[in-house]
Amino acid sequence: MPYNIAMVSDFFFPQPGGVESHIYQLSTKLIDRGHKVIIITHAYEGRTGVRYLTNGLKVYHVPFLVIYRESTMPTVFSFFPIFRNIIIREEIEIVHGHASLSSLCHEAILHARTMGLRTVFTDHSLFGFADAASILTNKLLKFTLSDVDHCIGVSHTCKENTVLRASLDPLMVSVIPNAVVAENFQPLALHKNSNSYPFAARPAPLPPQHLGPHDTITIVVISRLFYNKGTDLLIAALPRILAADPHVRFIIAGSGPKAIDLEQMLESRVLQDRVELLGPVRHEEVRDVMVRGHIYLHPSLTEAFGTVIVEAASCGLYVVCTRVGGIPEVLPPHMTTFAKPEEDDLVAATQKAIAALRANRIRTEGFHEQVKKMYSWTDVAERTERVYDGITGAISEEEFYGDVSGGGWSATRGRAGVQSFALIDRLKRYYGCGIWAGKLFCLCVIIDYLLFQLLEMLAPRANIDICRNWPKKAGKGERIDEEGDEATPLRMARSRASSRRKGRLR
Amino acid sequence: MLTTRPHLTALRPSPTTVSYTVSTASRRETLPSQLLHHFLHSLRIVLGLATLAAVLAKFFDYLTYLPLSWSDYIDKAPWSRVGPLAFASFVLVFRRFHTEESLLILRSLGIQTSTLSPSYLLPSNTRFIPTSQIRDIFIHEAFKGFEVRYYLAVVVEGEGEVVVVFPNLLPGRAIVEEVWRGARECLYEPKA
């Protein structure tokens, strides 16, 4: 059953990043599965208005004031008129918000519930509970997630974190990991092969690499140089690793506020000839940097998922990483060595990894195929689709939530685990958010509801043009088979007519 | 009452010429609307003539001979008060309440866009684009105020910005698509 889905987040291209590419890849795969997907984000410099990306992915860059690190001003209600317009003209049924730091996403979920739509929220990051900023963010998250239909975390750690931060029923949080486009992260030999013999049915299995005791081992680090990415740990551990083994080199790519500290350390210890600093690299260049090394070192202090270590393993690198956040869930044990996030343990783990490589105890040549089997965006899209099925009631509660005796956990949950849209039920859910916050949130929801009624009067639905859909690709994918079925002649006729019309439009 | 939602009228005097007009003027299909229209027009004429008469009379000092109850008031009032009042009255008389925008397409010559001015006295705002300068005609969407609207635009060679057709009315998708198709058919000869 195809849905019309709107992905909402402050973070989208042209800005580079993990959330951005997650949204893009997921949307593309959902479109391939026959859904209609649009993306709503704020305007970036030189990019305002409506744009189309590959495969008819439509992006609305809503003009808004950006305050801090590409996040928009949290203006709760000012986004509603334009959001309502987009939702109606695109006939959206499900609103899917991404990233807990994006106020656009929170607002969209609130408004979507007011308009009576299903909502999903994907959390991409972990947060603490102690400092003032986290408390504020968590309160805001609790506000929006009080009335969301379903949540998605990128790892089990992320799920746990979200459940605690927003006091959610753990049943309504699913775990769907990130994925990588394995074709873009091929190990060196494989890549060469596929270039020279583009029509070869199957690349020959890689010859296992043999490293002697005096061969140079290159360790790659690609990360933004921030405190939370563990740059300080790297700065402390790096000279000790280099001192222990004279045949080790480092390649470090990335930029950030800690770059200065790193350079200072290199200069004071005179290690420039053994450590290569590349500065910022573009995402499509990451593979070319990775294949130059044997070990990927990931010293991060907090990480919800860590896509980069999957990319590294896909490139055939052995991974040394800290045991924090969602990282231990990501790769099987034979691809990784874990360390505690402290200097001594990280040095020891790296040395262990180097020794294992030199003893040829690790066969990295199979990593690529294994990662390819474990992580694919098609799989992510399928699992996300199941979440959509669950919240719209297309699959039953038992099937979606598993067999839970006692049924729904929350008193306000309606039929089949689907959150009721009635204003009074919604208010009940928000009221439980806190002594003061609960009342404040209720006030916000009531104002939002009144605003919605006002907009229905001022800008009636009848006056809003319904968008033309992007023509579906013919001759590929399962939807076409479905349309060939005699049971759906109406839809077939409709789609043929629309493709004819579109043909003239093009 | 006086205006409606934008509606389209197409005129095809010859196969190579077509004119599309989008207007908000009331279509006057029913008798009451026709009566209202005529009534408003007569009201305009009466108001216009009355204002003219009053101004002329005050100018030539004839007001004392006019048998009207307010002639005294106008006679005593200074020009600084009568002037603006008369001006406002004339603006109202010549005011056009509906908006009308049109697109005229002449094969091998070009296209002309025009917008009627809000007053019957001012000329309409037109622009002619010769065929040689037209790169493309397309439909796209854009943010306008608190909504997303469709618009029809012409890409003109050597200009950084496109020319939006029907820039004030911005009619809906159905109208825009019809005009777009007609314009393409008329502007470029159909393929054999």
Side-chain angles (χ1 to χ4, degrees):
Chain A
M1 182 185 167
Y3 300 109
N4 294 344
I5 305 150
M7 302 276 176
V8 190
S9 180
D10 265 322
F11 312 108
F12 194 64
F13 297 136
Q15 182 184 255
V19 181
E20 289 83 351
S21 74
H22 176 104
I23 297 172
Y24 174 72
Q25 297 288 355
L26 177 62
S27 308
T28 325
K29 294 296 177 211
L30 283 171
I31 288 174
D32 287 346
R33 295 183 63 78
H35 302 286
K36 167 183 172 177
V37 185
I38 63 158
I39 291 172
I40 303 173
T41 179
H42 68 263
Y44 286 87
E45 199 174 329
R47 202 158 303 203
T48 318
V50 184
R51 301 252 179 160
Y52 284 94
L53 300 184
T54 324
N55 213 354
L57 179 59
K58 197 174 187 180
V59 188
Y60 285 90
H61 290 278
V62 185
F64 264 114
L65 194 64
V66 172
I67 43 167
Y68 174 67
R69 273 178 79 172
E70 295 300 345
S71 291
T72 45
M73 183 88 174
T75 49
V76 194
F77 304 114
S78 69
F79 178 48
F80 200 7
I82 204 152
F83 177 74
R84 175 177 167 272
N85 189 279
I86 294 173
I87 293 298
I88 292 175
R89 74 200 303 274
E90 296 283 354
E91 301 176 293
I92 296 301
E93 297 151 343
I94 296 172
V95 172
H96 190 159
H98 289 265
S100 45
L101 274 182
S102 152
S103 55
L104 199 67
C105 149
H106 292 305
E107 287 170 32
I109 288 177
L110 173 68
H111 301 325
R113 289 297 301 180
T114 306
M115 291 180 68
L117 306 174
R118 299 291 167 204
T119 49
V120 182
F121 173 77
T122 299
D123 205 348
H124 292 262
S125 39
L126 303 175
F127 278 89
F129 301 89
D131 56 310
S134 299
I135 291 170
L136 208 65
T137 322
N138 293 347
K139 210 69 188 170
L140 189 70
L141 192 77
K142 202 168 171 181
F143 175 28
T144 2
L145 296 197
S146 297
D147 194 27
V148 82
D149 286 296
H150 205 84
C151 286
I152 296 173
V154 291
S155 64
H156 288 277
T157 314
C158 183
K159 166 179 174 172
E160 204 170 291
N161 188 267
T162 310
V163 165
L164 289 175
R165 281 158 63 207
S167 328
L168 293 173
D169 173 357
L171 272 184
M172 61 175 286
V173 186
S174 299
V175 175
I176 300 177
N178 275 326
V180 290
V181 184
E183 293 77 51
N184 295 347
F185 293 94
Q186 294 186 339
L188 201 55
L190 194 65
H191 197 65
K192 232 182 256 164
N193 266 355
S194 62
N195 271 353
S196 48
Y197 307 108
F199 302 112
R202 220 190 137 80
L206 295 181
Q209 51 178 0
H210 290 293
L211 286 166
H214 298 296
D215 285 337
T216 306
I217 283 192
T218 310
I219 300 177
V220 181
V221 180
I222 300 178
S223 98
R224 282 175 292 126
L225 304 176
F226 279 90
Y227 167 73
N228 61 344
K229 295 287 174 189
T231 311
D232 295 309
L233 202 56
L234 178 70
I235 292 169
L238 190 138
R240 291 178 55 187
I241 297 168
L242 286 178
D245 191 330
H247 303 290
V248 170
R249 298 282 179 278
F250 267 89
I251 298 176
I252 300 175
S255 61
K258 294 279 178 188
I260 296 256
D261 294 353
L262 188 64
E263 279 166 39
Q264 261 177 1
M265 184 275 293
L266 293 185
E267 269 168 38
S268 63
R269 309 246 176 167
V270 203
L271 293 169
Q272 288 96 331
D273 56 333
R274 297 181 65 188
V275 179
E276 191 180 344
L277 287 183
L278 295 179
V281 290
R282 293 212 306 273
H283 191 246
E284 55 267 32
E285 295 167 353
V286 164
R287 183 254 162 199
D288 299 322
V289 177
M290 278 183 174
V291 293
R292 289 168 61 190
H294 304 95
I295 291 177
Y296 181 79
L297 180 64
H298 194 67
S300 188
L301 297 183
T302 166
E303 195 81 61
F305 181 77
T307 317
V308 69
I309 65 174
V310 184
E311 292 170 351
S314 175
C315 287
L317 270 69
Y318 189 61
V319 178
V320 178
C321 53
T322 44
R323 191 186 286 278
V324 294
I327 289 178
E329 305 166 27
V330 170
L331 288 176
H334 71 273
M335 291 186 187
T336 45
T337 302
F338 289 112
K340 287 193 214 97
E342 58 184 43
E343 191 187 328
D344 294 334
D345 208 42
L346 192 68
V347 173
T350 314
Q351 282 167 348
K352 220 173 83 190
I354 293 170
L357 268 186
R358 285 211 197 287
N360 291 316
R361 269 190 276 127
I362 293 150
R363 301 179 49 90
T364 55
E365 60 274 3
F367 283 9
H368 177 72
E369 288 299 319
Q370 290 161 13
V371 168
K372 204 169 152 184
K373 282 201 195 87
M374 281 188 282
Y375 291 106
S376 88
W377 284 109
T378 318
D379 176 53
V380 171
E382 266 169 39
R383 291 162 76 171
T384 311
E385 192 182 280
R386 190 164 175 279
V387 169
Y388 296 155
D389 283 339
I391 57 168
T392 50
I395 56 176
S396 67
E397 190 176 7
E398 285 76 41
E399 197 186 339
F400 187 43
Y401 289 105
D403 190 23
V404 182
S405 53
W409 284 32
S410 73
T412 47
R413 194 184 263 172
R415 175 202 67 80
V418 169
Q419 305 266 50
S420 152
F421 287 119
L423 184 63
I424 190 70
D425 285 343
R426 297 182 59 215
L427 288 180
K428 275 182 210 162
R429 288 191 279 267
Y430 287 115
Y431 194 73
C433 284
I435 300 171
W436 291 105
K439 292 173 180 80
L440 186 70
F441 293 166
C442 280
L443 197 68
C444 282
V445 174
I446 291 168
I447 292 174
D448 207 52
Y449 182 76
L450 292 177
L451 195 64
F452 176 57
Q453 297 301 333
L454 188 72
L455 284 172
E456 289 285 319
M457 276 190 282
L458 292 182
R461 272 163 198 264
N463 289 356
I464 297 174
D465 271 337
I466 304 298
C467 270
R468 216 176 244 287
N469 288 345
W470 191 261
K472 290 269 184 294
K473 259 190 279 178
K476 198 182 149 192
E478 51 188 23
R479 263 210 73 191
I480 306 303
D481 301 342
E482 199 183 302
E483 277 176 5
D485 200 327
E486 296 211 338
T488 55
L490 182 76
R491 197 198 307 155
M492 206 165 83
R494 220 190 317 138
S495 88
R496 221 191 287 133
S498 78
S499 68
R500 205 185 309 133
R501 255 182 278 135
K502 199 65 198 181
R504 262 199 281 167
L505 246 182
R506 282 282 87 206
Chain B
M1 186 174 69
L2 296 171
T3 57
T4 57
R5 297 185 60 192
H7 52 87
L8 180 72
T9 355
L11 273 179
R12 290 175 196 271
S14 80
T16 56
T17 312
V18 61
S19 155
Y20 288 105
T21 308
V22 176
S23 167
T24 56
S26 156
R27 270 187 273 203
R28 302 198 295 276
E29 278 153 347
T30 56
L31 189 66
S33 67
Q34 277 174 11
L35 286 179
L36 182 73
H37 176 75
H38 290 306
F39 171 71
L40 285 174
H41 257 285
S42 5
L43 207 67
R44 269 174 203 253
I45 293 169
V46 169
L47 181 65
L49 288 179
T51 315
L52 192 68
V55 169
L56 286 180
K58 185 172 171 62
F59 190 72
F60 293 111
D61 258 347
Y62 278 150
L63 272 170
T64 41
Y65 305 110
L66 281 175
L68 290 171
S69 56
W70 37 267
S71 57
D72 262 3
Y73 170 73
I74 297 175
D75 199 24
K76 279 178 198 140
W79 273 109
S80 63
R81 197 178 301 166
V82 175
L85 218 64
F87 181 75
S89 165
F90 277 124
V91 165
L92 201 67
V93 165
F94 291 107
R95 161 100 196 160
R96 201 196 304 267
F97 287 104
H98 63 273
T99 322
E100 196 170 304
E101 291 179 302
S102 65
L103 176 70
L104 174 70
I105 302 133
L106 304 151
R107 181 180 295 170
S108 75
L109 274 176
I111 62 177
Q112 175 169 293
T113 61
S114 66
T115 304
L116 286 191
S117 62
S119 164
Y120 284 102
L121 292 180
L122 299 172
S124 66
N125 189 1
T126 65
R127 158 136 204 219
F128 180 76
I129 306 165
T131 310
S132 57
Q133 281 188 16
I134 300 172
R135 307 299 294 171
D136 200 2
I137 301 183
F138 66 85
I139 298 174
H140 198 46
E141 297 142 278
F143 290 97
K144 170 97 180 171
F146 279 129
E147 52 184 354
V148 185
R149 299 294 292 266
Y150 278 96
Y151 65 93
L152 181 66
V154 183
V155 184
V156 182
E157 193 173 333
E159 277 185 26
E161 292 190 349
V162 295
V163 175
V164 177
V165 185
F166 314 130
N168 300 314
L169 289 176
L170 291 174
R173 186 171 67 104
I175 292 178
V176 160
E177 277 181 12
E178 192 186 332
V179 174
W180 182 82
R181 277 206 196 90
R184 300 278 292 206
E185 258 167 45
C186 186
L187 203 58
Y188 309 112
E189 291 189 33
K191 275 175 231 156

